[in-house]
Amino acid sequence: MALLRSVVVGCGAYLPENVVTNAALAERGIETSDEWIVQRTGIRQRHIAGPDETTSVLGTRAAQAALDEAGLSPADIDLVLCATSTPDHTFPSTATQIQAALGIEGGFAFDLQAVCAGFVYAVATADRFLSTGGAKRALVIGAETFSRLLDWEDRTTCVLFGDGAGAIVLEARENDASDRGVLTSCLRSDGRHRAKLYVDGGPGSTGTTGKLRMEGREVFRFAVGSVTDVIEEAFRASGTTADDLTWFVPHQANRRIIEASADKLGIAREKVVLTVDRHGNTSAASIPLALAAARRDGRIQQGDLVMIEAIGGGFTWGAALIRW
Ligand code: UT7
């Protein structure tokens, strides 16, 4: 049997209209400054969802944009996979809500929860279904409304996050000379780090949603120090090197983390796609938002070699290498 590859055929994103600058946060009484936030994180602004903009609403709009770029209709999709830590409800899944909003009646849909690494986990998961014949076309979505998990009294976390959604369409195709598709992916987790980045509530513990808590410095250290293993593994598995990459599209949490990781891996700074300045940290949505931005401005082209990489609560982390 011919080898099946999961090929990216569409990419899209959606951001809430409401833009909140660093200065606006300081004006609201949060003891912070534009200077501190820009210097420590690179973030200048973030988008914040309105009351009616739930995660499924953002995810549906991003999914529709990805379908439009692919020239496909919702009926062409038989797998909807949504990476999110901010579902509309505890259940049913946000993915099934997006499935219904798009008018998809066949196939199957489910959520995947790996916090900020969720999109990389979702790409790796969808790839397993597509490359083994379990589905033909997948909408892989990262959608979040992290603003609803924030403690707005905690300046060490509330200035860092934003809302948004991004999506790609992956299609199972027989591998050919173009070598397009997901070439490899590498996932890791280590639950011993739970207390460094978590939400202090949940349906099975407090019965409340809870608020995000983070030991920022510890997460920073792990992000720069340890997670390059998955990227090196992806290079090894695919027989490629940093020089072969066209674009590096990492999770957008902090400009300093991104640049330190790129430097450590020998990835040239001009290959790094950065959106953290405009979006803040949108957790599972940050990579597909960045992919869509780099598609829209003409940077990512068919045939380009693109490395995505993320680390999130758990800790969870991973990387995937895609020939676009
Ligand atoms: O997406 C999941 C992954 N998450 C991340 O990757 C986040 C990783 N961590 C980080 O990005 C950084 O650690 C932060 C941006 C969260 C913090 O930067 P930092 O350089 O590690 O700062 P710090 O926590 O060491 O704090 C330095 C100072 C402290 O004051 P003192 O103790 O030195 O007097 C903080 O109280 O900055 C103070 N501070 C603030 N000042 C103004 C903390 N937050 C703020 C703030 N505005 N918003």
Side-chain angles (χ1 to χ4, degrees), residues 89-307:
H89 299 102
T90 303
F91 74 79
S93 68
T94 300
T96 55
Q97 300 313 291
I98 295 171
Q99 182 192 30
L102 290 170
I104 301 172
E105 292 175 7
F108 60 110
F110 64 97
D111 283 0
L112 193 153
Q113 213 277 61
V115 203
C116 300
F119 188 75
V120 178
Y121 269 59
V123 167
T125 304
D127 178 45
R128 297 311 191 272
F129 281 105
L130 294 168
S131 61
T132 55
K136 285 198 171 62
R137 285 196 202 89
L139 260 172
V140 184
I141 304 157
E144 302 280 17
T145 46
F146 255 55
S147 62
R148 298 196 168 111
L149 283 182
L150 298 175
D151 174 356
W152 290 97
E153 305 284 309
D154 177 10
R155 69 173 182 170
T156 68
T157 53
C158 74
V159 304
L160 304 174
F161 295 89
D163 302 331
I168 59 172
V169 182
L170 288 175
E171 181 174 277
R173 289 189 185 172
E174 284 186 10
N175 191 23
D176 60 23
S178 70
D179 194 38
R180 291 180 67 198
V182 177
L183 305 187
T184 189
S185 55
C186 180
L187 306 180
R188 297 267 184 277
S189 65
D190 186 345
R192 291 173 298 174
H193 298 284
R194 171 192 170 277
K196 291 170 188 155
L197 177 51
Y198 68 104
V199 169
D200 63 6
S205 52
T206 58
T208 62
T209 305
K211 297 292 178 205
L212 183 147
R213 308 291 171 206
M214 178 166 73
E215 289 178 30
R217 231 175 292 182
E218 290 298 312
V219 180
F220 191 104
R221 195 171 303 146
F222 187 83
V224 175
S226 311
V227 303
T228 46
D229 61 346
V230 284
I231 298 176
E232 280 161 355
E233 177 59 31
F235 281 138
R236 247 192 320 274
S238 58
T240 59
T241 69
D243 289 340
D244 298 318
L245 281 190
T246 327
W247 302 109
F248 178 50
V249 187
H251 170 48
Q252 309 282 319
N254 185 318
R255 188 183 179 123
R256 287 155 58 214
I257 295 177
I258 293 170
E259 293 185 341
S261 304
D263 291 353
K264 195 172 162 194
L265 290 154
I267 299 170
R269 290 270 180 102
E270 59 271 20
K271 293 182 177 178
V272 180
V273 175
L274 269 177
T275 49
V276 69
D277 55 333
R278 287 166 281 153
H279 303 164
N281 181 345
T282 56
S283 192
S286 90
I287 290 174
L289 274 165
L291 291 170
R295 274 294 286 166
R296 210 170 34 240
D297 65 22
R299 272 180 291 175
I300 296 181
Q301 299 286 333
Q302 196 171 306
D304 284 357
L305 194 60
V306 181
M307 178 76 81

